[in-house]
């Protein structure tokens, strides 16, 4: 074949590895902040025997994979209201040259921390924060309790109702102008929730339980309940080979109790989170090296929340075409129908499938291609 013709065909058939556009020198102003919150939430009580060792975790794994068992498993011993004070570590960024009116409030997923949104390695290819700041937005990205630099929690306690209550407090913190004293007098007029995976679950659950106009828009990435997550749960458990985090990496997680678990190695991480051929191995290794455990109650409470929201705000659902976690590896044909019923009244609702991408969006080759879809959506909807 003629070389030019070959190149032409290769380019347009997606044969060559396609990388997203790179950003250069994003002129931004950022600062780190610790936000004290005091939250009350109706928490689930862990009702199974606590894990003594990895054999206990394996036993639970087996139960999940045993026909007929998972559906009958009740992991809770009731609920109770709990009030607690936490320190939330976050970073605020905005363009140096202007004072944006819309703030994106970003919540990361399980096994990650806030730097999911601002990957420190090759930021020009991967940083969501740099991309959205270059489009004129401000961002507050924070560590959920239990992850990163926020307050550590017991793994049998850390759960979605707590994360939801914290997120609500953070919205109030921004709305009340607390951030503006640090950010040059800027109080954002609009707030858009941005989530990934567990962070989308938290954002979605808040929009289903709180005042539906608590924020002005939402971008929920890597999340859908009914496009394969439930059917895929045993496979997810099997792929992660979950182990007690303090046994997997004692130097990083020695202080975490046995209720915190994590993936066993880089291949397990890749099986769950990446599409083969669409990521850089060294980048995935760095992402794993800066990962955090997931608490067993974060996992169980996922299945106990209400996600149907009456909110009319614009909502963009966004996921990788080959998301193993939420679509059993193929979102085409199952995703849009599964997410639309969660926001029946949303004006401007859209579901977008990002091609050639797995569950993790921000360290995929074409990450910035996806970010452009997100910011275009926000502009189109007046956000
Ligand atoms: C925020 O803190 C992190 C360490 O957690 C540091 O690497 C980063 O440079 C700090 N950012 C700013 C803007 O001070
Ligand atoms: C928790 O508080 C809510 C109201 O804030 C109340 O309706 C509920 O009954 C309480 N639950 C428990 C278990 O005390
Ligand atoms: C949190 O708020 C509750 C209710 O307002 C109060 O009783 C409690 O003392 C507060 N706790 C902290 C640590 O501020
Ligand atoms: C990169 O992402 C954009 C936005 O979704 C998409 O239009 C483009 O086709 C993607 N490129 C590849 C090679 O997947």
């Amino acid at each position: 074949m003629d070389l030019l013709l070959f190149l032409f065909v290769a380019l347009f058939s997606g044969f060559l590895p396609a990388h997203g556009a790179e950003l250069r020198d994003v002129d931004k102003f950022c600062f780190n902040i610790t936000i004290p919150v005091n939250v009350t939430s109706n928490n689930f009580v862990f009702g199974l025997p606590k894990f003594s060792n990895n054999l206990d975790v394996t036993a639970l794994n087996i139960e999940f994979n045993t026909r007929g068992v998972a559906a009958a498993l009740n992991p809770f011993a009731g609920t109770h209201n709990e009030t607690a004070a936490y320190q939330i570590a976050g970073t605020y960024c905005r363009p140096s040259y202007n004072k944006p009116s819309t703030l994106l409030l970003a919540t990361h997923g399980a096994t990650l921390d806030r730097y999911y949104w601002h990957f420190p390695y090759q930021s020009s290819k991967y940083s969501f924060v740099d991309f959205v700041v270059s489009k004129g937005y401000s961002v507050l990205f924070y560590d959920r309790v239990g992850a990163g630099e926020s307050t550590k929690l017991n793994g049998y306690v850390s759960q979605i109702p707590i994360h939801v209550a914290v997120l609500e407090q953070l919205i109030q913190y921004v709305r009340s102008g607390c951030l503006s004293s640090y950010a040059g007098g800027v109080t954002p007029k609009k707030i858009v929730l941005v989530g990934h995976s567990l962070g989308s679950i938290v954002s979605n659950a808040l929009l289903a339980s709180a005042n539906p106009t608590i924020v002005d828009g939402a971008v929920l990435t890597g999340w859908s309940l009914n496009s394969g997550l439930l059917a895929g749960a045993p496979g997810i458990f099997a792929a992660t080979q979950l182990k007690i985090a303090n046994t997997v990496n004692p130097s990083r997680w020695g202080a975490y109790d046995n209720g915190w678990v994590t993936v066993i190695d880089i291949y397990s991480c890749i099986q769950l989170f990446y599409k083969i051929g669409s990521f850089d191995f060294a980048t995935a290794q760095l992402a794993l090296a800066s990962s955090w455990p997931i608490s067993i109650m974060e996992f169980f409470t996922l299945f106990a929340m209400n996600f149907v929201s009456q909110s009319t705000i614009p909502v963009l659902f966004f996921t990788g075409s080959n998301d193993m976690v939420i679509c059993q590896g193929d979102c085409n044909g199952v995703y849009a129908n599964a997410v639309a019923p969660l926001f029946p009244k949303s004006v401007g609702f859209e579901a977008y499938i990002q091609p050639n991408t797995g569950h993790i969006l921000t360290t995929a080759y074409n990450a910035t291609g996806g970010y452009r879809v997100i910011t275009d959506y926000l502009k189109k909807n007046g956000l």
Side-chain angles (χ1 to χ4, degrees):
M1 198 194 303
D2 176 87
L3 180 64
L4 266 179
L5 180 63
F6 170 76
L7 277 176
F8 181 87
V9 170
L11 264 176
F12 290 92
S13 64
F15 176 78
L16 294 180
H19 296 228
E22 285 194 38
L23 290 169
R24 297 200 198 285
D25 301 330
V26 175
D27 192 5
K28 66 182 187 300
F29 162 75
C30 297
F31 59 85
N32 287 332
I33 186 171
T34 302
I35 303 171
V37 297
N38 184 358
V39 299
T40 299
S41 50
N42 190 227
N43 294 345
F44 292 89
V45 179
F46 185 70
L48 301 174
K50 293 183 176 177
F51 305 132
S52 303
N53 50 41
N54 281 320
L55 185 58
D56 289 348
V57 180
T58 303
L60 183 67
N61 219 341
I62 291 172
E63 282 195 58
F64 261 100
N65 285 289
T66 302
R67 180 161 43 86
V69 172
L73 187 72
N74 177 12
F76 306 130
T79 61
H80 64 176
N81 288 333
E82 269 180 327
T83 298
Y86 303 115
Q87 302 285 324
I88 305 302
T91 303
Y92 170 88
C93 291
R94 69 165 166 85
S96 307
Y97 55 87
N98 73 1
K99 298 185 173 180
S101 61
T102 299
L103 176 130
L104 311 186
L105 177 48
T107 307
H108 63 82
T111 77
L112 300 157
D113 65 13
R114 72 185 192 269
Y115 292 101
Y116 174 80
W117 303 109
H118 189 44
F119 199 62
Y121 171 72
Q122 298 188 340
S123 301
S124 58
K125 283 185 194 163
Y126 299 124
S127 172
F128 176 80
V129 168
D130 280 3
F131 189 92
V132 297
V133 167
S134 81
K135 298 292 177 193
Y137 293 97
S138 59
V139 199
L140 175 61
F141 53 113
Y142 70 97
D143 291 330
R144 281 187 294 95
V145 287
E149 297 169 311
S150 290
T151 304
K152 306 256 170 303
L153 265 189
N154 186 301
Y156 302 106
V157 173
S158 187
Q159 56 184 274
I160 292 169
I162 294 176
H163 299 315
V164 170
V166 168
L167 180 58
E168 188 167 13
Q169 289 286 302
L170 294 179
I171 294 167
Q172 279 163 16
Y173 180 89
V174 174
R175 290 268 193 232
S176 67
C178 291
L179 205 53
S180 70
S181 55
Y182 302 90
V186 193
T187 299
K189 292 189 185 65
K190 293 179 176 172
I191 300 177
V192 174
L193 297 182
V194 178
H196 174 250
S197 198
L198 194 77
S200 292
I201 290 169
V202 170
S203 306
N204 189 158
L206 177 65
L207 288 168
S209 64
N211 176 343
T213 57
I214 188 167
V215 292
D216 305 281
V219 177
L220 304 179
T221 74
W223 159 235
S224 158
L225 188 60
N226 290 320
S227 56
L229 176 65
L230 294 170
I236 292 167
F237 257 74
T240 54
Q241 287 284 303
L242 285 178
K243 298 288 176 292
I244 293 169
N246 63 41
T247 69
V248 173
N249 194 336
S251 62
R252 288 195 69 211
W253 299 322
Y256 280 72
D257 62 75
N258 291 356
W260 291 94
V261 292
T262 188
V263 297
I264 186 65
D265 65 14
I266 183 67
Y267 301 102
S268 153
C269 175
I270 287 169
Q271 186 171 345
L272 279 178
F273 294 151
Y274 290 94
K275 176 178 191 294
I276 296 295
S278 293
F279 70 99
D280 167 48
F281 194 82
T283 303
Q285 281 178 307
L286 285 170
L288 179 64
S290 57
S291 70
W292 295 87
I294 174 171
S295 84
I296 192 66
M297 282 296 271
E298 286 166 351
F299 175 77
F300 281 131
T301 53
L302 189 171
F303 300 103
M305 307 303 294
N306 172 34
F307 295 113
V308 179
S309 169
Q310 300 308 315
S311 182
T312 57
I313 62 170
V315 178
L316 172 66
F317 271 80
F318 182 103
T319 202
S321 54
N322 298 85
D323 191 322
M324 190 56 74
V325 177
I326 68 158
C327 303
Q328 292 184 288
D330 183 5
C331 285
N332 292 302
V334 294
Y335 177 66
N337 290 343
V339 291
L342 301 181
F343 286 87
K345 296 183 181 159
S346 161
V347 175
F349 182 93
E350 276 183 41
Y352 186 84
I353 295 177
Q354 171 69 0
N356 294 316
T357 303
H359 186 62
I360 291 267
L361 303 167
T362 62
T363 44
Y365 276 152
N366 193 19
T368 55
Y371 303 159
R372 186 175 300 279
V373 172
I374 291 171
T375 53
D376 284 353
Y377 176 84
L378 295 177
K379 300 279 182 211
K380 191 171 73 180
N381 285 280
L383 295 167

